[in-house]
Amino acid sequence: MQRMLVGMSQEKLGEALSLTFQQVQKYEKGTNRIGASRLQQISQVLGVPVDFFFTDAPVPGNGAGGFAEASSTAYVADFLSTSEGVQLTKSFVRIRDPKVRRRIVDLVTALAGEEQEAE
């Protein structure tokens, strides 16, 4: 998500880390685990502290079992992990007029309602 927010390709991140873009892809998909030193490198390249990657991470012993509902913010991470989500977010925050922003939210809400009914 952070890589896309800063407008960096997997290839560019790979170059900065001396990796192939396929290796970056595997990290992002969760196919390969990321070691602590590599996570430190990634945080430096992306310009965020290491703890950025642990925000909203599940905390062991918090009483949430394996069947607990996902965090209410999980959908935000899912949305921002898509190129459309990043593009929409970047464009939306550049809109200065709060009334226009509200109308866009209303439009998207209406469109989503129509799609749900059609499904």
Side-chain angles (χ1 to χ4, degrees), residues 53-100:
F53 300 109
F54 298 99
T55 304
D56 292 332
V59 179
N62 68 353
F67 293 105
E69 290 188 32
S71 166
S72 61
T73 59
Y75 70 93
V76 175
D78 290 343
F79 174 69
L80 290 175
S81 68
T82 66
S83 59
E84 294 89 356
V86 172
Q87 184 179 7
L88 186 60
T89 302
K90 282 182 172 181
S91 298
F92 186 80
V93 297
R94 288 195 315 257
I95 299 170
R96 300 263 186 244
D97 187 339
K99 290 179 183 177
V100 172

Side-chain angles (χ1 to χ4, degrees), residues 8 12-13 17 23 29-30 34 37 50 52-53 55-56 62 72 83 87 90 93 107-108 112 114 119:
M8 184 180 288
K12 289 290 181 192
L13 179 58
L17 300 170
Q23 289 171 301
K29 289 183 178 183
I34 301 175
S37 61
V50 172
F52 169 85
F53 300 109
T55 304
D56 292 332
N62 68 353
S72 61
S83 59
Q87 184 179 7
K90 282 182 172 181
V93 297
L107 172 64
V108 172
E114 289 177 16
E119 291 177 4

Side-chain angles (χ1 to χ4, degrees), residues 5 7 12 22 32-33 48 60 62 87 90 95 103 106 110:
L5 284 172
K12 289 290 181 192
Q22 291 95 336
N32 290 355
R33 292 178 185 247
V48 294
N62 68 353
Q87 184 179 7
K90 282 182 172 181
I95 299 170
R103 292 185 71 193
D106 292 342

Side-chain angles (χ1 to χ4, degrees), residues 13 16-19 27 33-46 48-50 53-54:
L13 179 58
L17 300 170
S18 299
L19 300 171
Y27 285 148
R33 292 178 185 247
I34 301 175
S37 61
R38 179 72 71 199
L39 190 60
Q40 176 68 34
Q41 287 178 316
I42 293 169
S43 72
Q44 289 173 345
V45 171
L46 297 178
V48 294
V50 172
F53 300 109
F54 298 99

